Amino acid sequence: MTLTAQERYYAGAAAEDIVALNYERRGHDLVHKRWRGTAGEIDLIVRDGDGFIFVEVKKSQTHTKAAHRLGRRQMDRIFGAASEFIGGEPKGQLTDVRFDLATVDEVGTVQVIENAFLEH
């Protein structure tokens, strides 16, 4: 079954909502959803103590398929947007950051790979 652009948009938004709730349940505060800078968009930004976690959300039938949808070019865009975001923080580029990949499968379960960008 092929989804329309509108269906993909809403499926992605629902996946982001599920992941945001997952982080909030683990004690993190959601700072931004779909934050856009000149370099690109970051799905979720959550506070982690004095730092931030930048979360890329991918949804697919399985967690493995979702994880394989994150490519190097997209990671580079997210790095650029994150750098722009923390540039406005008091510590600037010295702000503690982490880049996670959160995958959502077809039944809505979430898997979070912390520091996922280091593994690619």
Side-chain angles (χ1 to χ4, degrees), residues 25-42:
R25 286 181 176 158
R26 293 188 289 139
H28 297 288
D29 292 325
L30 179 64
V31 177
H32 288 285
K33 195 183 277 188
R34 294 195 176 190
W35 185 85
R36 181 167 292 282
T38 57
E41 183 179 276
I42 299 171

Side-chain angles (χ1 to χ4, degrees), residues 51-72:
F52 296 96
I53 304 170
F54 298 99
V55 184
E56 177 62 17
V57 178
K58 294 292 186 188
K59 182 180 182 330
S60 194
Q61 291 173 322
T62 68
H63 293 288
T64 301
K65 285 182 180 181
H68 284 292
R69 293 184 54 227
L70 178 64
R72 177 86 262 158

Side-chain angles (χ1 to χ4, degrees), residues 66-108:
H68 284 292
R69 293 184 54 227
L70 178 64
R72 177 86 262 158
R73 284 184 23 211
Q74 187 174 22
M75 284 187 272
D76 290 344
R77 283 194 302 272
I78 294 167
F79 281 137
S83 179
E84 183 180 348
F85 177 83
I86 63 173
E89 291 299 308
K91 290 184 181 178
Q93 299 302 318
L94 299 177
T95 303
D96 289 332
V97 299
R98 186 174 87 208
F99 295 87
D100 291 357
L101 171 61
T103 59
V104 180
D105 68 9
E106 65 185 350
V107 294

Side-chain angles (χ1 to χ4, degrees), residues 101-120:
L101 171 61
T103 59
V104 180
D105 68 9
E106 65 185 350
V107 294
T109 61
V110 175
Q111 275 188 355
V112 174
I113 304 168
E114 295 182 357
N115 290 309
F117 289 23
L118 299 177
E119 297 177 13
H120 279 66

